[in-house]
Amino acid sequence: MKTNPPLPMGYSELPRGKLANVVTCLEMREKPDVSVPAPGALRFERWQAPSLDDYRQLFREVGENWLWLSRLIISDEKLAAIIHDPDVEIYVILSEEGRRIGLLELDFREPGECELVFCGLVPDAIGQGAGKLLITQAVARAWARPINRFWLHTCHFDHPSAIFFYQKAGFKPYAFLVEVIDDPRLSGHMPETAAPHVPLLRP
């Protein structure tokens, strides 16, 4: 049986079917001077109590290429408890035709803090200016409440410009984490064509 050569010091091999995800945590401790751009033909609005099916559909459309998994594997009861909580605010960007093309989720359940849980666009909306509208609205909405800290985490599965995008908005990195997960493309939670920038290694 073929074996891999010895690994250099400091490296750890993962079993096939597992993914290692390098996570970067970022935060801001005070409200930056932010100007929300005019939406133009787009609309930014609160999404009150979305149905689970509608929420998961948009979650998939926005996050599939970046291996967003968490909301696809939890139970309906747990998902409903989160997205229907009064201290969780969900917003969408709507195209001129009324299609949902952006998702923003802010979690205020921890006193004095806001977590930017999800912030993203459907693939064909990236690079059209909607991202700036989404992040500036996120900052404005988060600091509209009496918080001391606004934070998020992103990872190397995300868009390659994600960290720079958040830093430009005023977030500062403060920690690195490593997460090991089962590849969702092998468990059936995502199609095998998802996230083509992440190699698929079958067991």
Side-chain angles (χ1 to χ4, degrees), residues 1 37 50 57-58 65 70 76 86 95 104 107 116 120 128 130 143 174 176 190:
M1 184 176 70
Q57 178 181 342
L58 182 58
N65 276 341
S70 59
D76 288 353
S95 70
L104 171 66
D107 189 336
L116 195 166
Q128 307 299 315
W143 289 101
Y174 69 90
F176 294 121
M190 290 184 179

Side-chain angles (χ1 to χ4, degrees), residues 39-59:
L42 303 174
R43 298 203 317 272
F44 178 87
E45 62 183 42
R46 181 84 179 265
W47 197 11
Q48 297 278 8
S51 74
L52 301 189
D53 287 344
D54 286 346
Y55 176 91
R56 283 196 174 113
Q57 178 181 342
L58 182 58
F59 183 89

Side-chain angles (χ1 to χ4, degrees), residues 128-196:
Q128 307 299 315
K132 184 175 181 180
L133 174 62
L134 204 61
I135 193 61
T136 52
Q137 283 282 8
V139 172
R141 303 282 172 158
W143 289 101
R145 291 208 190 188
I147 63 170
N148 301 309
R149 177 175 180 255
F150 186 25
W151 73 281
L152 64 92
H153 66 266
T154 185
C155 68
H156 82 277
F157 293 157
D158 206 344
H159 191 284
S161 298
I163 291 179
F164 303 105
F165 175 74
Y166 291 126
Q167 287 181 301
K168 188 176 180 180
F171 290 93
K172 296 181 179 180
Y174 69 90
F176 294 121
L177 308 173
V178 177
E179 176 187 36
V180 177
I181 61 172
D182 293 323
D183 193 324
R185 298 167 298 183
L186 296 175
S187 63
H189 290 98
M190 290 184 179
E192 293 186 2
T193 54

Side-chain angles (χ1 to χ4, degrees), residues 8-177:
M9 183 68 67
Y11 287 81
S12 299
E13 185 174 5
L14 293 178
R16 285 176 173 265
K18 298 284 187 180
L19 295 174
N21 184 13
V22 180
V23 177
T24 302
C25 300
L26 304 97
E27 66 179 0
M28 60 173 69
R29 293 283 182 169
E30 59 183 22
K31 181 181 179 180
D33 183 14
V34 61
S35 177
V36 177
L42 303 174
R43 298 203 317 272
F44 178 87
E45 62 183 42
R46 181 84 179 265
W47 197 11
Q48 297 278 8
S51 74
L52 301 189
D53 287 344
D54 286 346
Y55 176 91
R56 283 196 174 113
Q57 178 181 342
L58 182 58
F59 183 89
R60 280 185 180 276
E61 289 180 28
V62 171
E64 191 168 272
N65 276 341
W66 319 118
L67 295 182
W68 287 14
L69 178 65
S70 59
R71 298 298 166 77
L72 304 180
I73 60 175
I74 62 174
S75 68
D76 288 353
E77 292 76 16
K78 288 183 178 179
L79 179 58
I82 295 170
I83 66 175
H84 296 160
D85 190 295
D87 284 325
V88 174
E89 298 182 2
I90 301 173
Y91 298 89
V92 291
I93 289 183
L94 301 172
S95 70
E96 190 174 4
E97 298 76 28
R99 174 189 168 213
R100 297 185 188 104
I101 62 169
L103 174 66
L104 171 66
E105 187 170 326
L106 303 175
D107 189 336
F108 295 91
R109 289 178 296 173
E110 186 69 28
E113 295 191 356
C114 176
E115 180 185 0
L116 195 166
V117 187
F118 298 111
C119 178
L121 302 168
V122 298
D124 59 299
I126 294 174
Q128 307 299 315
K132 184 175 181 180
L133 174 62
L134 204 61
I135 193 61
T136 52
Q137 283 282 8
V139 172
R141 303 282 172 158
W143 289 101
R145 291 208 190 188
I147 63 170
N148 301 309
R149 177 175 180 255
F150 186 25
W151 73 281
L152 64 92
H153 66 266
T154 185
C155 68
H156 82 277
F157 293 157
D158 206 344
H159 191 284
S161 298
I163 291 179
F164 303 105
F165 175 74
Y166 291 126
Q167 287 181 301
K168 188 176 180 180
F171 290 93
K172 296 181 179 180
Y174 69 90
F176 294 121
L177 308 173

